[in-house]
mmCIF file of all heavy atoms in Angstrom:
data_model
loop_
_atom_site.group_PDB
_atom_site.id
_atom_site.type_symbol
_atom_site.label_atom_id
_atom_site.label_comp_id
_atom_site.label_asym_id
_atom_site.label_seq_id
_atom_site.Cartn_x
_atom_site.Cartn_y
_atom_site.Cartn_z
ATOM 1 N N THR A 339 4.347 -31.580 -16.924
ATOM 2 C CA THR A 339 3.846 -31.160 -15.613
ATOM 3 C C THR A 339 2.783 -32.169 -15.194
ATOM 4 O O THR A 339 2.067 -32.703 -16.036
ATOM 5 C CB THR A 339 3.221 -29.748 -15.638
ATOM 6 O OG1 THR A 339 2.026 -29.772 -16.431
ATOM 7 C CG2 THR A 339 4.184 -28.706 -16.177
ATOM 8 N N ALA A 399 1.165 -23.102 -8.369
ATOM 9 C CA ALA A 399 1.195 -22.828 -9.812
ATOM 10 C C ALA A 399 2.377 -21.915 -10.164
ATOM 11 O O ALA A 399 3.036 -22.109 -11.187
ATOM 12 C CB ALA A 399 -0.107 -22.172 -10.241
ATOM 13 N N GLY A 418 1.638 -30.307 -20.709
ATOM 14 C CA GLY A 418 1.013 -29.771 -19.502
ATOM 15 C C GLY A 418 -0.095 -30.714 -19.069
ATOM 16 O O GLY A 418 -1.211 -30.656 -19.589
ATOM 17 N N CYS A 419 0.245 -31.599 -18.144
ATOM 18 C CA CYS A 419 -0.734 -32.591 -17.698
ATOM 19 C C CYS A 419 -1.232 -32.241 -16.289
ATOM 20 O O CYS A 419 -2.155 -32.849 -15.777
ATOM 21 C CB CYS A 419 -0.071 -33.964 -17.717
ATOM 22 S SG CYS A 419 -1.216 -35.329 -17.557
ATOM 23 N N ALA A 420 -0.607 -31.249 -15.691
ATOM 24 C CA ALA A 420 -0.976 -30.896 -14.314
ATOM 25 C C ALA A 420 -2.367 -30.267 -14.266
ATOM 26 O O ALA A 420 -2.788 -29.599 -15.210
ATOM 27 C CB ALA A 420 0.058 -29.920 -13.755
ATOM 28 N N ALA A 421 -3.060 -30.519 -13.173
ATOM 29 C CA ALA A 421 -4.335 -29.843 -12.923
ATOM 30 C C ALA A 421 -3.998 -28.609 -12.095
ATOM 31 O O ALA A 421 -3.999 -28.646 -10.865
ATOM 32 C CB ALA A 421 -5.276 -30.775 -12.179
ATOM 33 N N VAL A 422 -3.628 -27.572 -12.798
ATOM 34 C CA VAL A 422 -3.154 -26.354 -12.123
ATOM 35 C C VAL A 422 -4.355 -25.598 -11.567
ATOM 36 O O VAL A 422 -5.349 -25.403 -12.275
ATOM 37 C CB VAL A 422 -2.398 -25.454 -13.138
ATOM 38 C CG1 VAL A 422 -1.814 -24.240 -12.443
ATOM 39 C CG2 VAL A 422 -1.334 -26.249 -13.874
ATOM 40 N N ALA A 423 -4.253 -25.173 -10.316
ATOM 41 C CA ALA A 423 -5.359 -24.388 -9.744
ATOM 42 C C ALA A 423 -5.487 -23.086 -10.526
ATOM 43 O O ALA A 423 -4.482 -22.422 -10.794
ATOM 44 C CB ALA A 423 -5.074 -24.102 -8.272
ATOM 45 N N ASP A 424 -6.698 -22.756 -10.910
ATOM 46 C CA ASP A 424 -6.888 -21.548 -11.724
ATOM 47 C C ASP A 424 -6.671 -20.274 -10.906
ATOM 48 O O ASP A 424 -6.286 -19.249 -11.448
ATOM 49 C CB ASP A 424 -8.303 -21.545 -12.319
ATOM 50 C CG ASP A 424 -8.435 -22.608 -13.401
ATOM 51 O OD1 ASP A 424 -7.436 -22.835 -14.112
ATOM 52 O OD2 ASP A 424 -9.515 -23.219 -13.519
ATOM 53 N N ASN A 451 -4.241 -17.466 -11.521
ATOM 54 C CA ASN A 451 -2.879 -17.994 -11.648
ATOM 55 C C ASN A 451 -2.397 -17.844 -13.087
ATOM 56 O O ASN A 451 -3.206 -17.772 -14.010
ATOM 57 C CB ASN A 451 -2.872 -19.489 -11.282
ATOM 58 C CG ASN A 451 -2.471 -19.715 -9.838
ATOM 59 O OD1 ASN A 451 -1.728 -18.919 -9.267
ATOM 60 N ND2 ASN A 451 -2.962 -20.786 -9.257
ATOM 61 N N PRO A 452 -1.093 -17.844 -13.301
ATOM 62 C CA PRO A 452 -0.601 -17.832 -14.687
ATOM 63 C C PRO A 452 -1.005 -19.130 -15.369
ATOM 64 O O PRO A 452 -1.111 -20.168 -14.721
ATOM 65 C CB PRO A 452 0.923 -17.769 -14.521
ATOM 66 C CG PRO A 452 1.190 -18.282 -13.148
ATOM 67 C CD PRO A 452 -0.014 -17.926 -12.319
ATOM 68 N N ASP A 453 -1.246 -19.062 -16.673
ATOM 69 C CA ASP A 453 -1.555 -20.280 -17.422
ATOM 70 C C ASP A 453 -0.237 -20.822 -17.979
ATOM 71 O O ASP A 453 0.360 -20.232 -18.871
ATOM 72 C CB ASP A 453 -2.546 -19.984 -18.550
ATOM 73 C CG ASP A 453 -3.114 -21.273 -19.102
ATOM 74 O OD1 ASP A 453 -2.318 -22.128 -19.555
ATOM 75 O OD2 ASP A 453 -4.332 -21.449 -19.052
ATOM 76 N N ILE A 454 0.214 -21.934 -17.419
ATOM 77 C CA ILE A 454 1.566 -22.420 -17.721
ATOM 78 C C ILE A 454 1.708 -22.855 -19.181
ATOM 79 O O ILE A 454 2.627 -22.424 -19.877
ATOM 80 C CB ILE A 454 1.950 -23.565 -16.755
ATOM 81 C CG1 ILE A 454 1.914 -23.014 -15.325
ATOM 82 C CG2 ILE A 454 3.332 -24.129 -17.074
ATOM 83 C CD1 ILE A 454 1.912 -24.058 -14.243
ATOM 84 N N VAL A 455 0.789 -23.695 -19.675
ATOM 85 C CA VAL A 455 0.934 -24.137 -21.078
ATOM 86 C C VAL A 455 0.849 -22.961 -22.039
ATOM 87 O O VAL A 455 1.595 -22.903 -23.018
ATOM 88 C CB VAL A 455 -0.069 -25.238 -21.522
ATOM 89 C CG1 VAL A 455 0.300 -26.588 -21.022
ATOM 90 C CG2 VAL A 455 -1.472 -24.892 -21.193
ATOM 91 N N ALA A 456 -0.050 -22.021 -21.741
ATOM 92 C CA ALA A 456 -0.182 -20.863 -22.643
ATOM 93 C C ALA A 456 1.104 -20.035 -22.633
ATOM 94 O O ALA A 456 1.546 -19.547 -23.680
ATOM 95 C CB ALA A 456 -1.380 -20.014 -22.224
ATOM 96 N N VAL A 468 1.734 -29.631 -25.719
ATOM 97 C CA VAL A 468 0.549 -30.487 -25.607
ATOM 98 C C VAL A 468 -0.121 -30.196 -24.272
ATOM 99 O O VAL A 468 0.548 -30.140 -23.238
ATOM 100 C CB VAL A 468 0.961 -31.983 -25.652
ATOM 101 C CG1 VAL A 468 -0.268 -32.888 -25.523
ATOM 102 C CG2 VAL A 468 1.727 -32.296 -26.935
ATOM 103 N N GLY A 469 -1.437 -30.000 -24.301
ATOM 104 C CA GLY A 469 -2.150 -29.749 -23.056
ATOM 105 C C GLY A 469 -3.237 -30.778 -22.828
ATOM 106 O O GLY A 469 -3.502 -31.631 -23.680
ATOM 107 N N PHE A 470 -3.858 -30.699 -21.692
ATOM 108 C CA PHE A 470 -4.952 -31.601 -21.344
ATOM 109 C C PHE A 470 -6.200 -30.776 -21.051
ATOM 110 O O PHE A 470 -6.092 -29.622 -20.651
ATOM 111 C CB PHE A 470 -4.591 -32.432 -20.103
ATOM 112 C CG PHE A 470 -3.794 -33.655 -20.442
ATOM 113 C CD1 PHE A 470 -2.495 -33.542 -20.905
ATOM 114 C CD2 PHE A 470 -4.345 -34.917 -20.318
ATOM 115 C CE1 PHE A 470 -1.761 -34.675 -21.233
ATOM 116 C CE2 PHE A 470 -3.627 -36.054 -20.635
ATOM 117 C CZ PHE A 470 -2.328 -35.938 -21.098
ATOM 118 N N ALA A 471 -7.351 -31.361 -21.258
ATOM 119 C CA ALA A 471 -8.591 -30.695 -20.888
ATOM 120 C C ALA A 471 -9.484 -31.710 -20.204
ATOM 121 O O ALA A 471 -9.873 -32.699 -20.819
ATOM 122 C CB ALA A 471 -9.275 -30.125 -22.119
ATOM 123 N N ALA A 472 -9.745 -31.494 -18.942
ATOM 124 C CA ALA A 472 -10.671 -32.365 -18.209
ATOM 125 C C ALA A 472 -12.008 -31.633 -18.173
ATOM 126 O O ALA A 472 -12.110 -30.539 -17.608
ATOM 127 C CB ALA A 472 -10.143 -32.606 -16.804
ATOM 128 N N GLU A 473 -12.995 -32.226 -18.800
ATOM 129 C CA GLU A 473 -14.297 -31.556 -18.899
ATOM 130 C C GLU A 473 -15.393 -32.460 -18.363
ATOM 131 O O GLU A 473 -15.235 -33.677 -18.307
ATOM 132 C CB GLU A 473 -14.614 -31.215 -20.374
ATOM 133 C CG GLU A 473 -13.543 -30.407 -21.078
ATOM 134 C CD GLU A 473 -13.403 -28.993 -20.556
ATOM 135 O OE1 GLU A 473 -14.280 -28.557 -19.771
ATOM 136 O OE2 GLU A 473 -12.411 -28.329 -20.883
ATOM 137 N N LYS A 484 -9.809 -24.443 -26.193
ATOM 138 C CA LYS A 484 -8.556 -24.347 -25.420
ATOM 139 C C LYS A 484 -7.337 -24.503 -26.306
ATOM 140 O O LYS A 484 -6.323 -23.827 -26.127
ATOM 141 C CB LYS A 484 -8.519 -25.419 -24.328
ATOM 142 C CG LYS A 484 -9.165 -24.953 -23.066
ATOM 143 C CD LYS A 484 -9.200 -26.012 -22.015
ATOM 144 C CE LYS A 484 -10.335 -25.666 -21.067
ATOM 145 N NZ LYS A 484 -10.694 -26.728 -20.183
ATOM 146 N N ARG A 487 -7.062 -21.142 -28.078
ATOM 147 C CA ARG A 487 -6.864 -20.007 -27.165
ATOM 148 C C ARG A 487 -5.503 -20.051 -26.489
ATOM 149 O O ARG A 487 -4.841 -19.031 -26.318
ATOM 150 C CB ARG A 487 -7.987 -20.033 -26.114
ATOM 151 C CG ARG A 487 -8.100 -18.798 -25.283
ATOM 152 C CD ARG A 487 -9.460 -18.689 -24.597
ATOM 153 N NE ARG A 487 -10.031 -19.953 -24.151
ATOM 154 C CZ ARG A 487 -9.730 -20.548 -23.000
ATOM 155 N NH1 ARG A 487 -8.841 -20.031 -22.191
ATOM 156 N NH2 ARG A 487 -10.326 -21.686 -22.662
ATOM 157 N N LYS A 488 -5.043 -21.260 -26.137
ATOM 158 C CA LYS A 488 -3.763 -21.364 -25.427
ATOM 159 C C LYS A 488 -2.593 -21.551 -26.388
ATOM 160 O O LYS A 488 -1.450 -21.694 -25.950
ATOM 161 C CB LYS A 488 -3.811 -22.522 -24.424
ATOM 162 C CG LYS A 488 -4.916 -22.365 -23.370
ATOM 163 C CD LYS A 488 -4.705 -23.294 -22.206
ATOM 164 C CE LYS A 488 -5.863 -23.208 -21.226
ATOM 165 N NZ LYS A 488 -5.525 -23.683 -19.882
ATOM 166 N N MET A 490 -1.772 -24.095 -28.267
ATOM 167 C CA MET A 490 -1.122 -25.406 -28.149
ATOM 168 C C MET A 490 -1.115 -26.113 -29.506
ATOM 169 O O MET A 490 -1.852 -25.755 -30.412
ATOM 170 C CB MET A 490 -1.879 -26.263 -27.127
ATOM 171 C CG MET A 490 -1.921 -25.646 -25.750
ATOM 172 S SD MET A 490 -2.645 -26.738 -24.510
ATOM 173 C CE MET A 490 -4.371 -26.601 -24.848
ATOM 174 N N ILE A 493 -4.172 -31.222 -27.944
ATOM 175 C CA ILE A 493 -4.829 -31.300 -26.630
ATOM 176 C C ILE A 493 -5.397 -32.699 -26.421
ATOM 177 O O ILE A 493 -5.856 -33.336 -27.376
ATOM 178 C CB ILE A 493 -5.910 -30.193 -26.475
ATOM 179 C CG1 ILE A 493 -6.371 -30.084 -25.014
ATOM 180 C CG2 ILE A 493 -7.095 -30.409 -27.413
ATOM 181 C CD1 ILE A 493 -6.981 -28.733 -24.678
HETATM 182 O O1 LIG B 249 -8.094 -24.242 -18.735
HETATM 183 P P1 LIG B 249 -7.858 -25.612 -18.237
HETATM 184 O O2 LIG B 249 -7.375 -25.661 -16.820
HETATM 185 O O3 LIG B 249 -8.979 -26.583 -18.459
HETATM 186 O O4 LIG B 249 -6.683 -26.138 -19.187
HETATM 187 C C1 LIG B 249 -6.109 -27.357 -19.003
HETATM 188 C C2 LIG B 249 -4.748 -27.372 -19.578
HETATM 189 O O5 LIG B 249 -4.072 -26.175 -19.283
HETATM 190 C C3 LIG B 249 -3.896 -28.461 -18.976
HETATM 191 O O6 LIG B 249 -2.959 -28.840 -19.948
HETATM 192 C C4 LIG B 249 -3.241 -27.766 -17.803
HETATM 193 O O7 LIG B 249 -2.049 -28.411 -17.417
HETATM 194 C C5 LIG B 249 -3.001 -26.395 -18.369
HETATM 195 N N1 LIG B 249 -3.036 -25.296 -17.408
HETATM 196 C C6 LIG B 249 -1.886 -24.649 -17.093
HETATM 197 N N2 LIG B 249 -1.899 -23.602 -16.241
HETATM 198 C C7 LIG B 249 -3.042 -23.194 -15.680
HETATM 199 C C8 LIG B 249 -4.242 -23.849 -15.984
HETATM 200 C C9 LIG B 249 -4.210 -24.921 -16.831
HETATM 201 O O8 LIG B 249 -0.818 -25.032 -17.610
HETATM 202 N N3 LIG B 249 -3.038 -22.163 -14.853
#
Side-chain angles (χ1 to χ4, degrees):
T339 67
C419 193
V422 184
D424 289 325
N451 264 332
D453 194 302
I454 300 165
V455 283
V468 179
F470 275 69
E473 306 292 349
K484 272 177 203 167
R487 192 162 36 84
K488 301 195 185 201
M490 300 187 283
I493 192 158

